[in-house]
Amino acid sequence: MTLNPKLLLVDDDRRLAESMADWLRYQQFSVDQAHSLATGRRAIQEHSYDLLLLDLRLEDGDGFELIAETKRRQPDCAILVLTGYATPSTAIEAVKAGAFDLLTKPLVDEELSHALERALAQRNIEAENEQLRAQLDSRFGLEHILSHDYRMLKIFDVIDSVADARASVLITGENGTGKSMIARAVHKRSNRRSNPFVEVACGALPDNLLESELFGHVIGAFTGATTNKIGKFKQADGGTIFLDEIGTASQAFQVKLLRVLQELQFEPLGGTETDTVDTRVILATNENLSHAVTSGQFRQDLFYRVNVINIELPALRERAGDVPLLVDHFLREVCEATGRDVQGFDRDALATLQAYSWPGNVRELENVVERAVLLARDSVLTRHDLPPQLLASSGQPQSVIGSVASSGMQSNDPDQPQTLREALEEPERRIILESLRSHNWNRAATADTLGVNRTTLYKKMKRLGLDDPRLQFMGAEAH
């Protein structure tokens, strides 16, 4: 328990309040008293408290007003309500207003003590969760990229390894997987972080405008060019330029881009002077550039130049274990932006979200969460708050789980002899699986516990059939 938790006791029965305050101080609480709604509100405005213990019926007003004031000013303060007229509807109303518990007068010392302990324990858990979220954001999140999927953790390691290199980076993956965020993460982790990060959507511009956008132009270079313009490459000098949708570039533009990547030199459109820049180039595409090279749509020499370091982002359906983490993040963001009080999705709704294929990936998930929060009528969201396409596509996850449970397992047929390797693999698989479960599938923590490096753990997981993300949703009985 927190050392000498600070508690505000609000009750207009002075004799009862004095007696209760003495008992609370004996229980190592630091107690302030207020005997009206007005003095209670003043105390909340002037001091901070771990706990608020108040009577609902006060001489000068309703205790619910003080609950609302406390939740607004001190959201971490745990609230316990006292009443001599408790009904089921009163209890429900108090909890909805933000109370942790409702106690009925006359109070029993042991009952009050347990209630206070539970309230403080819950408060401490919430504080620890916030701390863990902050740690997750700072290490495993990399600039708000939230994931504990082992493929994403490997990508985070790559980002840390190549952040300071001058080589170009090619980010591939479906639309909505977060290619722009990965590009920003590379920049933020690099020694260029204090210099500009410039993003250009290459697919949104025709060739002549794209060349002007990237390399700039001089007066008279084309109709309407009435002033000199500095291009994005020059703006990103000393920093990073991110060229999104590079797979859409024309052959003519690819030739010019190749020269810039090789020499970091270019001439503004219509100009004769050569500019030289120190710019890190990151590119992204949702297309298969290898196939584009084979078909002649993308230059082979440019492909080899941009594909020095390739970061391939998995689709959200391939890392469904990240769905709850992302849902919680987007939910908190939307609630903070809109002022809505939504606690989260219930178990059935979350299972539906995890079973969906997410063709629009993380971007689609964010939109679904925002829609659910904005249209919500209750504080807990259900399947009915999800869009129709999610409900229509939800299948039978049990059959999928069954197939995963059998994958990576050795045959139990007594008539089929096991090799020595097979006999040794099953105990190893069981040990790794139990450690993964105990660490909530955090691969880094698992590797530390098992005394191996992460690369070794990844290889063992793949060899033993533990690299399927669906295993994260299966109970221990399935294994």
Side-chain angles (χ1 to χ4, degrees):
M1 187 170 74
T2 305
L3 185 63
N4 299 122
K6 193 164 184 182
L7 182 149
L8 175 63
L9 173 61
V10 183
D11 197 318
D12 54 10
D13 185 336
R14 290 177 178 269
R15 181 177 297 179
L16 176 63
E18 289 290 347
S19 174
M20 194 182 304
D22 289 341
W23 181 85
L24 288 168
R25 292 187 182 102
Y26 181 75
Q27 301 297 319
Q28 304 302 310
F29 287 89
S30 174
V31 183
D32 287 347
Q33 293 184 62
H35 304 295
S36 66
L37 177 63
T39 54
R41 181 179 285 124
R42 190 178 310 119
I44 288 295
Q45 292 171 355
E46 296 176 355
H47 307 284
S48 61
Y49 295 96
D50 300 306
L51 293 157
L52 169 64
L53 185 60
L54 80 156
D55 194 343
L56 280 181
R57 295 194 175 187
L58 300 169
E59 290 181 354
D60 59 339
D62 192 332
F64 282 107
E65 295 181 31
L66 189 56
I67 293 177
E69 178 86 4
T70 303
K71 294 301 292 183
R72 184 171 65 84
R73 290 183 176 273
Q74 301 186 33
D76 295 331
C77 178
I79 301 170
L80 289 90
V81 168
L82 303 173
T83 180
Y85 310 93
T87 64
S89 61
T90 303
I92 293 172
E93 189 178 357
V95 171
K96 282 187 174 181
F100 174 77
D101 203 352
L102 181 142
L103 305 172
T104 306
K105 295 180 179 181
L107 289 175
V108 177
D109 289 353
E110 187 175 353
E111 179 187 7
L112 177 58
S113 179
H114 287 327
L116 292 170
E117 287 179 5
R118 290 197 308 272
L120 282 174
Q122 179 65 27
R123 183 178 183 275
N124 291 337
I125 288 172
E126 291 175 355
E128 289 174 3
N129 286 342
E130 285 300 318
Q131 185 178 8
L132 288 172
R133 285 194 187 104
Q135 292 173 355
L136 185 66
D137 284 349
S138 63
R139 170 59 187 94
F140 297 113
L142 274 92
E143 285 68 54
H144 309 295
I145 308 168
L146 302 178
S147 179
H148 53 211
D149 181 85
Y150 79 98
R151 278 161 295 197
M152 293 300 293
L153 296 183
K154 288 172 69 175
I155 287 172
F156 296 162
D157 288 340
V158 170
I159 290 172
D160 282 334
S161 299
V162 306
D164 288 336
R166 296 195 59 168
S168 59
V169 177
L170 176 64
I171 305 171
T172 56
E174 297 178 7
N175 284 334
T177 49
K179 295 187 288 294
S180 175
M181 295 185 74
I182 292 292
R184 290 179 181 276
V186 174
H187 175 72
K188 289 292 186 182
R189 309 292 275 198
S190 75
N191 51 20
R192 298 171 178 265
R193 67 181 67 89
S194 59
N195 294 320
F197 176 89
V198 178
E199 182 171 352
V200 181
C202 299
L205 298 170
D207 256 18
N208 59 335
L209 290 182
L210 180 59
E211 187 176 350
S212 170
E213 187 74 9
L214 291 179
F215 309 135
H217 63 248
V218 298
I219 296 175
F222 52 86
T223 303
T226 56
T227 60
N228 292 334
K229 176 183 178 179
I230 296 176
K232 299 295 187 184
F233 265 96
K234 191 71 174 177
Q235 292 177 25
D237 194 11
T240 303
I241 188 167
F242 173 50
L243 305 179
D244 198 6
E245 303 174 49
I246 193 62
T248 63
S250 69
Q251 289 279 342
F253 180 76
Q254 291 176 36
V255 173
K256 296 174 182 177
L257 181 59
L258 178 61
R259 182 203 169 196
V260 178
L261 294 178
Q262 288 175 331
E263 304 173 6
L264 292 178
Q265 292 183 333
F266 57 89
E267 288 81 36
L269 191 62
T272 57
E273 294 186 6
T274 300
D275 287 329
T276 301
V277 292
D278 173 23
T279 304
R280 171 73 172 282
V281 182
I282 302 177
L283 311 96
T285 181
N286 61 356
E287 300 181 14
N288 189 319
L289 290 188
S290 296
H291 291 171
V293 169
T294 303
S295 65
Q297 295 178 327
F298 202 84
R299 292 179 60 94
Q300 187 178 57
D301 49 3
L302 178 59
F303 174 68
Y304 290 140
R305 173 61 62 176
V306 302
N307 198 37
V308 178
I309 300 164
N310 181 210
I311 297 177
E312 185 174 357
L313 298 183
L316 183 57
R317 63 181 172 277
E318 297 172 2
R319 53 185 184 102
D322 282 342
V323 169
L325 184 68
L326 291 164
V327 165
D328 179 64
H329 173 71
F330 293 142
L331 188 96
R332 287 186 285 119
E333 276 194 337
V334 176
C335 288
E336 184 178 347
T338 62
R340 300 295 181 97
D341 182 18
V342 176
Q343 302 303 312
F345 290 87
D346 67 15
R347 184 174 299 178
D348 288 342
L350 198 56
T352 302
L353 290 169
Q354 289 182 283
Y356 183 55
S357 62
W358 297 111
N361 291 293
V362 178
R363 187 180 299 131
E364 183 183 6
L365 175 61
E366 182 177 10
N367 292 339
V368 166
V369 173
E370 182 177 11
R371 173 190 183 275
V373 171
L374 293 176
L375 299 180
R377 296 184 178 181
D378 297 312
S379 61
V380 177
L381 301 172
T382 69
R383 283 169 51 90
H384 301 295
D385 295 299
L386 300 177
Q389 71 268 20
L390 266 74
L391 303 179
S393 65
S394 59
Q396 301 295 327
Q398 187 58 42
S399 62
V400 174
I401 290 175
S403 67
V404 178
S406 63
S407 68
M409 299 291 288
Q410 305 300 332
S411 172
N412 292 323
D413 184 354
D415 296 324
Q416 183 172 343
Q418 283 185 314
T419 66
L420 177 60
R421 179 174 178 175
E422 289 173 341
L424 294 174
E425 279 182 347
E426 182 53 31
E428 184 180 23
R429 182 181 190 277
R430 187 162 52 250
I431 290 169
I432 293 175
L433 184 58
E434 289 174 357
S435 184
L436 285 165
R437 284 206 207 103
S438 67
H439 292 96
N440 196 27
W441 288 82
N442 183 317
R443 274 71 173 181
T446 299
D448 290 342
T449 299
L450 296 176
V452 298
N453 61 47
R454 278 175 284 182
T455 302
T456 300
L457 178 63
Y458 300 151
K459 291 179 179 178
K460 286 180 178 291
M461 289 177 63
K462 186 172 184 179
R463 175 168 57 82
L464 298 171
L466 295 173
D467 59 340
D468 193 310
R470 293 172 293 180
L471 284 168
Q472 299 178 33
F473 320 124
M474 299 166 60
E477 69 279 357
H479 303 283

